[in-house]
Amino acid sequence: MDEEEGGRIVFRGRLGLTGGGGAMLEAAGTHILFDLADPPPSAAVDGTWVEIGVERNSVSLWPYLL
């Protein structure tokens, strides 16, 4: 994860789509779960390397029990 100018946070890693309308980004050995907006990305992006940039104030951290 890198921080860019302008208050954006950038996540880079391998994207894995889940069957329930979500995605998991594997970055530096860590898995980050994402809820996706409609329409979901094409199945063709599953397993590809991506860069996701978001506004800093749009990122929140929530505990998740596996």
Side-chain angles (χ1 to χ4, degrees):
M1 176 175 68
D2 296 322
E3 186 172 342
E4 283 189 351
E5 294 180 30
R8 294 182 66 79
I9 296 176
V10 177
F11 299 92
R12 294 180 183 99
R14 187 178 298 258
L15 185 68
L17 300 178
T18 66
M24 180 176 53
L25 184 69
E26 183 180 346
T30 301
H31 292 93
I32 303 169
L33 299 175
F34 287 93
D35 288 326
L36 300 176
D38 270 343
S42 164
V45 300
D46 190 32
T48 62
W49 290 91
V50 297
E51 179 176 288
I52 299 171
V54 295
E55 293 295 326
R56 182 177 194 80
N57 62 357
S58 296
V59 175
S60 58
L61 177 65
W62 298 91
Y64 187 82
L65 183 59
L66 295 175

